[in-house]
Amino acid sequence: MIVALAALVAALMALAPQATWAQETRPADEACLSCHPAMEVEVRRASVHADALPCLTCHHIGFSNDPASVAEARLAECRDCHAPMKPAHAGLGDEGPVCTQCHSLHPGPEACPEPGAAGAASSDVCDPMGAPLHAGGGQFVLFETCQGCHDDVLLSHAGVAAGAPACTQCHVLHSDAPLAETRAGVVDACRACHTEVHLGHAEIAEEPGCTGCHEVHPTGDPHGDVMASRNATCGSCHEGTVSSHAESAASPTTCFQCHSIGTDPPIEEAAPTVARRCGSCHVTALADVESGGHGASLADTPDQDLPTCLTCHSIHGEESVALTSPRITATQRCVDCHSQEGLTERYGIALGVGGSYLDDFHGATGAMQATNPGSARTVDVMVCADCHGAHAVTWEVSEQHVESVCLSCHTDASPRIAGAWLGHAQVGPRNRFIIWALRLFYFVMIPFVLTGLAVSILFDLRAQQRQGARLAKTRVVRTLVALVTGKPRPNAEAEVMVPRFTVLERLEHLGGAATFLLLVATGLPQAWPGSALGSATIRLFGGIGSMRFVHRVTGVIFVVLMVLHLAKALATAIRKRRLPIMALEKKDFLDAYQTLRHYTVGEPKPRSGKFDFREKFEYWGLLLGGSVMTVTGLVLLFPELASQVIPGILLAASRVAHGLEATFAVLVVILWHSYGVIFRPEVFPMDTSMITGKISLDRLKEEHGLEYERLFPEEPPALD
């Protein structure tokens, strides 16, 4: 009880001086008003501080008339009550504005007019406290007050009608926080008027905010090159993004012509909107798309299975896209969609459409360009859009249209060249029978021959296993045995060597082997361009164009070498008046049969001359295969000329035969020829006779008995 009474007494004592002060100053207010007739009683009583502060709170009797000291005195008086208020200009010291520069203690004779109204530019007739501080007129006068110091600062909203924001809507006067920390408040201030606008970067923590693109205090003409400055703003974050339109015109496309930071949905959902923006410049193209087979992609409720402008045209192209022809890039999209089983079933399109294009020469070339861009020799080929249209896409294509497309590139060709295009229908007995039969022939013949060769190799290895002593006599085995047992190594120089091949024959073989290997190195990657090895090889040659150039030149050299070889063989046969030494005879077929019996029932091996039946069969296989490659290669090298002589379907057949025959030749060389000259026990690790031109007397007697007897009918030679 005693504590409560003490507190009550203390409170009454604290209030007593105030009551006395108010009672003492009220007459003083009347005295002030008696000398200041402009400060009418009603106006004085309308002041915001009328009921709280008398005149003498700020106006002390005998105060100095120095403006600086008066301003400081008023600021001190304001802080007595408004202590938490921190002026944003506090760091400027005495040079900064004080409270009364924005807050008028005495209302003016009339309320502030709206901005732009008569007299609105003059603070003489408008006091900011004549209306609430945040009303239009009060903001206008505050703007003028700020410009008293910031006279070089422009406001982008200055020309906007009533309700335009003033300085204090973004700049907090009673805060010492930097502007960068009040960005969220600035965005909120913008949204107070721009309620329908949302930021495209709203999900990003460090979003640019409204002021990232909109210059609140423009340094020059606020209606100048706004788009260019906004592009620069975007580029400050998206520095690696390049617009495909940047160098296309005097007025390049800006970011905001496709990307809206306002009311658009995300770019993934705004494809129709973006497409119509593309159409603002590409009017005809947009009309064609809307009228074509893909027009439903631009409807108000778009079919998202169908492509739009952005599907084929890269706005922000990667390096690989930039290096690849846009036609090839767009065609990739066609093949990708028309090879998806779900999509083709949904729209009733044949599944093999994409694959049938890739099987064609043009499609295979396009795929190689897409996989290996940047070729020094760019190859431009027929793409889907050439027949079906790029924008006004149509499925039905007439034969006449296909002919016109072919002749647009192959200007010297016959219209029958269009027959080389097999179409999208699957090849079969009733559709393109020649192609079907040719493929069937090779698909049966290649496994059959390779199986026969593999069986022959197994038979030979089994027969040599029976003759262990013969296997042990090979140089490599004797060398290995000597290393293990410590015996002296076999002296190869002790073997009697006799001539087998002339210098010209060895040069012929070297030229044929070199051209064959180069043809394989430049041909196989064209069959499998997507493989790691194929892609690396194409890049090694500088792209598909350069690789094909090397392949064709090498092919011509191969043909020349083959023709010279045949001419030499024919001339030798005429001069010696006998069949060429590699001519097949009845004995060769009998030797093959006898060799089979040797492997199966143990009959003696047949004796052969300089070349046995295996070498002759391989030689004629190479000769016949080379002839097929020569004829088909010339057709593919000169398609326009060939179309004047043969039907177009034979051009397509030439390509099929060329590829399958090359595959067959490579497989035979890998399996059969490499076994004969490398892995056969008698010659391992390599038969050097085609390099040195000589063969050991023992091998000659063992493998070519008739040739041995012809060369040495009486006595074998001594050491070479």
Side-chain angles (χ1 to χ4, degrees):
M1 178 66 72
I2 297 174
V3 175
L5 289 174
L8 178 60
V9 171
L12 292 174
M13 291 177 65
L15 292 175
Q18 284 189 335
T20 304
W21 170 257
Q23 292 172 358
E24 292 177 355
T25 55
R26 293 303 180 190
D29 285 354
E30 298 299 329
C32 293
L33 292 176
S34 65
C35 293
H36 297 278
M39 303 293 289
E40 298 177 357
V41 177
E42 292 79 4
V43 175
R44 169 67 181 84
R45 291 175 178 173
S47 172
V48 292
H49 296 95
D51 297 331
L53 300 178
C55 301
L56 295 182
T57 303
C58 297
H59 301 281
H60 302 287
I61 298 175
F63 71 91
S64 171
N65 289 323
D66 178 33
S69 61
V70 172
E72 181 63 28
R74 291 179 178 175
L75 181 59
E77 295 293 347
C78 295
R79 283 178 175 172
D80 286 343
C81 294
H82 304 284
M85 295 297 182
K86 297 179 180 180
H89 296 77
L92 298 177
D94 294 340
E95 297 180 1
V98 295
C99 307
T100 54
Q101 283 185 262
C102 296
H103 301 278
S104 176
L105 300 177
H106 308 295
E110 58 185 55
C112 298
E114 296 294 335
S122 175
S123 59
D124 295 336
V125 295
C126 179
D127 193 299
M129 295 309 298
L133 180 59
H134 296 292
Q139 294 175 27
F140 183 82
V141 174
L142 284 179
F143 172 62
E144 283 197 332
T145 302
C146 296
Q147 277 202 317
C149 293
H150 303 283
D151 55 349
D152 58 340
V153 175
L154 302 176
L155 185 63
S156 57
H157 291 77
V160 182
C167 307
T168 54
Q169 281 192 257
C170 295
H171 299 278
V172 182
L173 295 179
H174 301 294
S175 172
D176 57 358
L179 180 59
E181 296 180 8
T182 62
R183 178 164 292 175
V186 175
V187 172
D188 291 339
C190 296
R191 285 178 171 169
C193 294
H194 304 282
T195 56
E196 299 298 323
V197 175
H198 70 267
L199 291 176
H201 296 75
E203 296 80 7
I204 304 176
E206 298 296 330
E207 59 174 326
C210 305
T211 55
C213 296
H214 300 278
E215 194 172 4
V216 179
H217 300 298
T219 56
D221 180 9
H223 301 289
D225 192 3
V226 178
M227 287 300 184
S229 63
R230 290 181 181 177
N231 272 5
T233 302
C234 297
S236 63
C237 292
H238 304 280
E239 56 185 357
T241 302
V242 179
S243 172
S244 60
H245 291 71
E247 305 296 336
S248 62
S251 299
T253 305
T254 60
C255 306
F256 295 94
Q257 285 179 265
C258 295
H259 301 276
S260 174
I261 60 169
T263 57
D264 278 358
I267 190 67
E268 296 81 5
E269 303 173 11
T273 303
V274 175
R276 291 189 176 92
R277 288 176 183 158
C278 297
S280 63
C281 292
H282 307 282
V283 179
T284 304
L286 180 63
D288 288 343
V289 172
E290 291 178 329
S291 64
H294 295 149
S297 64
L298 306 182
D300 293 334
T301 54
D303 186 342
Q304 296 185 356
D305 288 338
L306 302 178
T308 64
C309 304
L310 301 183
T311 306
C312 299
H313 300 280
S314 176
I315 305 301
H316 304 296
E318 298 83 4
E319 180 180 0
S320 60
V321 176
L323 293 174
T324 305
S325 166
R327 287 161 46 83
I328 299 299
T329 303
T331 304
Q332 281 184 281
R333 309 294 187 266
C334 300
V335 173
D336 290 343
C337 286
H338 288 272
S339 298
Q340 295 183 29
E341 186 173 354
L343 284 178
T344 53
E345 288 181 358
R346 193 177 308 159
Y347 294 97
I349 301 174
L351 178 60
V353 169
S356 62
Y357 172 74
L358 294 178
D359 288 339
D360 181 69
F361 171 83
H362 300 87
T365 303
M368 281 182 272
Q369 279 190 263
T371 308
N372 303 277
S375 172
R377 293 174 175 267
T378 302
V379 181
D380 202 3
V381 294
M382 180 187 71
V383 298
C384 306
D386 291 328
C387 291
H388 298 281
H391 298 114
V393 176
T394 179
W395 176 249
E396 297 296 333
V397 179
S398 65
E399 293 183 5
Q400 292 75 15
H401 181 65
V402 174
E403 288 182 3
S404 66
V405 171
C406 295
L407 294 176
S408 64
C409 290
H410 302 283
T411 55
D412 297 331
S414 167
R416 63 163 61 103
I417 195 175
W421 165 241
L422 302 179
H424 294 297
Q426 186 175 3
V427 173
R430 298 182 180 180
N431 179 46
R432 311 292 184 179
F433 174 79
I434 294 178
I435 305 298
W436 175 81
L438 187 61
R439 289 176 177 172
L440 179 63
F441 169 75
Y442 275 99
F443 290 165
V444 172
M445 187 265 290
I446 292 177
F448 178 78
V449 173
L450 293 179
T451 301
L453 295 177
V455 171
S456 177
I457 292 172
L458 293 176
F459 275 140
D460 187 65
L461 291 174
R462 181 170 175 265
Q464 295 204 31
Q465 185 181 12
R466 294 174 183 171
Q467 303 173 3
R470 180 167 174 240
L471 179 62
K473 287 194 298 184
T474 61
R475 185 181 306 165
V476 65
V477 173
R478 286 184 291 155
T479 301
L480 292 175
V481 171
L483 290 174
V484 173
T485 60
K487 295 180 180 180
R489 296 185 184 183
N491 185 4
E493 297 180 354
E495 295 180 341
V496 179
M497 306 299 292
V498 295
R500 176 159 174 76
F501 298 110
T502 66
V503 174
L504 182 59
E505 288 172 336
R506 284 180 281 161
L507 289 176
E508 281 186 292
H509 182 272
L510 178 62
T515 53
F516 179 83
L517 291 175
L518 189 54
L519 287 171
V520 171
T522 55
L524 288 183
Q526 298 184 47
W528 293 283
S531 64
L533 181 59
S535 181
T537 307
I538 292 175
R539 288 195 298 271
L540 179 64
F541 280 90
I544 184 58
S546 299
M547 172 175 279
R548 280 193 173 150
F549 177 77
V550 175
H551 186 79
R552 289 165 178 171
V553 171
T554 308
V556 171
I557 296 174
F558 179 83
V559 172
V560 171
L561 291 176
M562 188 174 68
V563 170
L564 291 176
H565 169 78
L566 293 176
K568 168 182 167 290
L570 182 60
T572 302
I574 294 174
R575 179 169 55 84
K576 294 185 177 182
R577 296 183 179 181
R578 63 174 175 79
L579 290 174
I581 193 172
M582 296 302 291
L584 290 174
E585 300 174 341
K586 180 179 179 181
K587 182 181 183 308
D588 295 315
F589 295 96
L590 294 176
D591 286 351
Y593 176 71
Q594 188 175 347
T595 300
L596 179 61
R597 292 185 60 81
H598 166 73
Y599 288 147
T600 55
V601 298
E603 287 190 1
K605 286 179 59 177
R607 305 179 70 205
S608 61
K610 184 174 182 178
F611 299 103
D612 62 19
F613 74 93
R614 296 182 186 87
E615 293 167 323
K616 287 187 176 182
F617 287 171
E618 185 177 359
Y619 170 84
W620 280 100
L622 175 63
L623 191 62
L624 293 176
S627 300
V628 172
M629 298 296 290
T630 298
V631 174
T632 56
L634 290 174
V635 169
L636 297 176
L637 185 58
F638 304 104
E640 293 88 353
L641 180 61
S643 68
Q644 304 286 351
V645 181
I646 61 177
I649 187 64
L650 293 184
L651 271 71
S654 296
R655 179 175 176 270
V656 173
H658 196 82
L660 292 176
E661 182 63 34
T663 303
F664 177 52
V666 171
L667 293 175
V668 169
V669 168
I670 292 175
L671 178 65
W672 182 252
H673 192 70
S674 61
Y675 172 75
V677 300
I678 297 176
F679 299 105
R680 193 159 57 95
E682 293 95 326
V683 300
F684 187 83
M686 176 175 281
D687 185 354
T688 60
S689 60
M690 190 54 77
I691 299 175
T692 63
K694 297 180 180 181
I695 187 174
S696 69
L697 190 62
D698 291 340
R699 274 192 59 203
L700 181 67
K701 185 177 181 180
E702 175 71 19
E703 300 175 16
H704 306 279
L706 296 179
E707 179 70 4
Y708 174 84
E709 293 176 356
R710 185 184 71 82
L711 293 176
F712 312 110
E714 296 180 358
E715 192 72 24
L719 292 178
D720 187 12

